Amino acid sequence: MKRSHLMREIIETLALALLIFLVIRFVLQSYHIEGTSMQPGLKANEFVFINKVAYLFRAPERGDVIVFHFPRDTTQDFIKRVIGIPGDTIKTDSIHVWVNGTQLKEPYISTPLNPLARTWKVPPNDYFVLGDNRPDSYDSRNWDYVPKDYIMGKAIVVFWPLNAIHFIPANKNVYSQIKNTGE
């Protein structure tokens, strides 16, 4: 009787360990933030968890912080905020950003700054992304769009260092007044 109970405990422990491994391997992934492009909210040398299945049944939304393969060199991964979704028209001047004619009021950015005035029309299956530290971010203003297939997942929580643990807000209220273009 005691041997069967011990064997059952071992099998349950192994099954639980396998389940935890599968969740971590296929659902979550860690990402190390290397630069300052997402300050003040995300800082260099912090680690975040990425939800790798977040976009399995829905598309990325404006405000989501995503990790993706850099379109010009897919061996590099970047973290940025989605500003424009397919069909959106993004316009910038030296300090403002508009999406479909609505000026964004972004409380999460460090300093409002754009290198030049320009307009983009986001193609189907692509996303326009910006870093929150606008003066120090290499993003869609420099190289245009992120293809949907390059998106690894949604950044959901900072988990390291321990004194910096917090959920990563999408700031949906910033984007709530934007009219969708229907694409």
Side-chain angles (χ1 to χ4, degrees):
M1 184 73 162
K2 289 190 186 229
R3 274 188 181 203
S4 65
H5 183 67
L6 177 62
M7 188 57 104
R8 180 177 173 200
E9 290 289 325
I10 291 170
I11 291 171
E12 287 176 353
T13 302
L14 290 174
L16 181 60
L18 179 63
L19 179 65
I20 291 169
F21 168 78
L22 291 173
V23 166
I24 291 172
R25 177 78 177 126
F26 297 106
V27 177
L28 294 176
Q29 179 177 333
S30 66
Y31 176 77
H32 176 241
I33 299 173
E34 294 180 8
T36 60
S37 74
M38 288 300 290
Q39 288 184 356
L42 302 174
K43 296 172 182 53
N45 295 314
E46 289 182 334
F47 285 82
V48 299
F49 274 130
I50 305 165
N51 179 347
K52 292 168 53 174
V53 297
Y55 303 125
L56 204 54
F57 301 109
R58 72 168 183 85
E61 298 174 349
R62 294 180 204 99
D64 288 355
V65 175
I66 62 170
V67 174
F68 57 93
H69 302 301
F70 177 46
R72 292 193 178 169
D73 178 359
T74 57
T75 64
Q76 295 182 58
D77 297 330
F78 284 7
I79 185 167
K80 307 285 181 201
R81 186 178 302 277
V82 174
I83 301 297
I85 61 176
D88 282 351
T89 299
I90 312 298
K91 180 183 169 191
T92 60
D93 65 14
S94 62
I95 60 171
H96 301 101
V97 176
W98 291 266
V99 178
N100 299 338
T102 301
Q103 183 181 332
L104 298 183
K105 300 197 181 0
E106 302 172 284
Y108 47 79
I109 65 172
S110 62
T111 303
L113 180 69
N114 296 305
L116 53 105
R118 186 168 167 204
T119 301
W120 297 262
K121 175 76 171 170
V122 184
N125 298 312
D126 283 350
Y127 293 84
F128 188 90
V129 296
L130 296 176
D132 291 352
N133 185 4
R134 300 289 162 78
D136 190 27
S137 181
Y138 187 55
D139 51 36
S140 287
R141 296 171 300 175
N142 307 100
W143 41 261
D144 292 330
Y145 314 105
V146 176
K148 185 176 191 310
D149 293 344
Y150 286 32
I151 297 173
M152 298 165 56
K154 180 179 181 179
I156 53 173
V157 66
V158 172
F159 71 90
W160 190 263
L162 293 176
N163 65 347
I165 292 175
H166 67 276
F167 285 100
I168 300 168
N171 293 285
K172 296 294 183 194
N173 58 322
V174 171
Y175 306 92
S176 63
Q177 302 302 312
I178 296 172
K179 304 281 189 258
N180 287 329
T181 59
E183 285 187 38

